[in-house]
């Protein structure tokens, strides 16, 4: 409520089924504010990829694309380091970055694949948060 009141930002709550019973309009007519902070105690941390695991994921992704001329991003350690820095060891951001590199490659077919061009293909973006 305070986020909405003070910042005028809409808040979407996602929580356990217990949250539904707390927020039922008819259940708590007398209470103005309902304490819901303890409904968000559980979370699921995902393990992060090591640089070697990242290299394996890149190789598997490249193999699934079926390029006429493979990019071989996994063979250049500097490119792996750039991609690792951009995704912080997380798989979903890695795939987003690889799609950006693939799109860049289609747009620039004669350009050399190196760490500078991969950085250029990724552009400027915020790094994902590895652990909350």
């Amino acid at each position: 409520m305070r986020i909405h009141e003070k910042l005028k930002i809409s808040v979407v709550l996602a929580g356990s089924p217990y949250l539904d019973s707390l927020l039922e309009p008819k259940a708590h007519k007398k209470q103005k504010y309902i304490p819901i902070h303890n409904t968000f105690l559980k979370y699921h941390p995902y393990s992060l990829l090591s640089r070697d695991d990242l290299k394996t994921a890149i190789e598997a992704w490249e193999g699934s694309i079926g390029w006429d001329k493979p990019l071989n991003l996994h063979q250049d350690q500097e490119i792996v380091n750039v991609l690792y820095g951009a995704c912080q060891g997380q798989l979903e951001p890695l795939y987003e970055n690889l799609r950006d590199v693939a799109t860049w490659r289609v747009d620039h077919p004669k350009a050399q694949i190196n760490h500078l061009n991969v950085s250029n293909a990724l552009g400027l973006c915020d790094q994902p948060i590895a652990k909350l």
Side-chain angles (χ1 to χ4, degrees), residues 19-46:
L19 183 62
D20 284 339
S21 64
L22 281 175
L23 298 177
E24 178 64 35
K26 297 175 185 174
H28 300 280
K29 286 274 186 192
K30 294 181 181 178
Q31 292 181 342
K32 184 174 180 181
Y33 296 103
I34 302 167
I36 60 170
H37 59 278
N38 284 333
T39 63
F40 299 99
L41 296 176
K42 189 174 183 179
Y43 66 95
H44 300 280
Y46 296 99

Side-chain angles (χ1 to χ4, degrees), residues 64-95:
S64 70
I65 298 297
W67 292 91
D68 292 338
K69 292 182 180 178
L71 299 176
N72 295 323
L73 299 171
H74 65 281
Q75 293 179 355
D76 187 335
Q77 188 59 42
E78 289 182 34
I79 292 175
V80 172
N81 291 340
V82 167
L83 290 169
Y84 188 84
C87 75
Q88 295 296 302
Q90 297 179 63
L91 199 55
E92 189 62 32
L94 172 64
Y95 288 148

